[in-house]
Amino acid sequence: MEASFYDFSATSLQGKEVKMSDFKGKTILLVNTASQCGLTPQYEGLEKIYEKYKEKGLVILGFPCNQFGNQEPGDEKSIAEGCLLNYGVSFPMFAKIEVNGPGTHPLFKYLKKELPGFPGNSIKWNFTKFLIAPDGKPLKRFSPITKPEKIERYLAQKALL
């Protein structure tokens, strides 16, 4: 049987196992993040659309990763503090993972298979975003430089919220 988004789980920044099935029926924007990246200010835009649409069923899930220029060197505590203090992030954040190579988290293996990107089947940089429909189907992959505001317009056009 083919895997589904809802078959996966990940560890939260607080060390709790979170099942993706907990988000059934929600529109999900999943992002690999980093605290010291030139794109890190996107946290602000992501938080804005999360606050605006969370009551309508939008969930943003942040997955810190240190595979791109060592831009997420800290531990879970420093990641949590940085997200909260600098950007007021209130959406769920997860423990640091790998998104490429032999240690790739199973969820990202699945997402890359379902929505391959360029180059090859890898994540190019921090802040690559994956949009998951309320039925769990991966819909669209957004590049690292796609700003949250543009994704908000896409969500409105597709009536996902």
Side-chain angles (χ1 to χ4, degrees), residues 129-149:
K129 302 157 198 80
F130 293 90
L131 183 64
I132 313 297
D135 65 0
K137 181 170 176 29
L139 283 182
K140 186 160 176 62
R141 179 173 175 157
F142 295 94
S143 83
I145 58 170
T146 303
K147 289 189 166 44
E149 299 74 34

Side-chain angles (χ1 to χ4, degrees), residues 38-111:
L39 300 172
T40 302
Q42 284 190 26
Y43 270 134
E44 197 174 327
L46 291 167
E47 180 62 22
K48 273 186 189 156
I49 63 172
Y50 177 64
E51 283 298 320
K52 191 171 175 181
Y53 296 108
K54 68 181 179 184
E55 299 302 319
K56 293 183 176 180
L58 177 68
V59 177
I60 296 177
L61 305 177
F63 286 84
C65 178
N66 193 39
Q67 288 186 291
F68 306 101
N70 293 321
Q71 295 178 342
E72 190 63 273
D75 61 12
E76 275 64 29
K77 186 175 186 284
S78 69
I79 293 168
E81 287 170 357
C83 288
L84 196 59
L85 292 176
N86 299 330
Y87 299 100
V89 169
S90 64
F91 54 81
M93 291 291 297
F94 290 82
K96 199 160 40 173
I97 61 158
E98 291 187 8
V99 298
N100 288 328
T104 299
H105 189 282
L107 177 56
F108 276 82
K109 280 184 186 170
Y110 167 76
L111 290 171

Side-chain angles (χ1 to χ4, degrees), residues 112-127:
K112 292 188 302 184
K113 181 177 154 283
E114 294 296 309
L115 298 169
F118 181 82
N121 194 18
S122 64
I123 303 286
K124 189 162 70 178
W125 200 254
N126 302 311
F127 290 90

Side-chain angles (χ1 to χ4, degrees), residues 1-10 17-22 24 105-107 110 136:
M1 193 171 113
E2 199 166 309
S4 154
F5 175 78
Y6 298 129
D7 294 339
F8 297 94
S9 63
E17 197 66 19
V18 178
K19 292 178 168 62
M20 295 303 117
S21 59
D22 292 350
K24 273 188 178 167
H105 189 282
L107 177 56
Y110 167 76

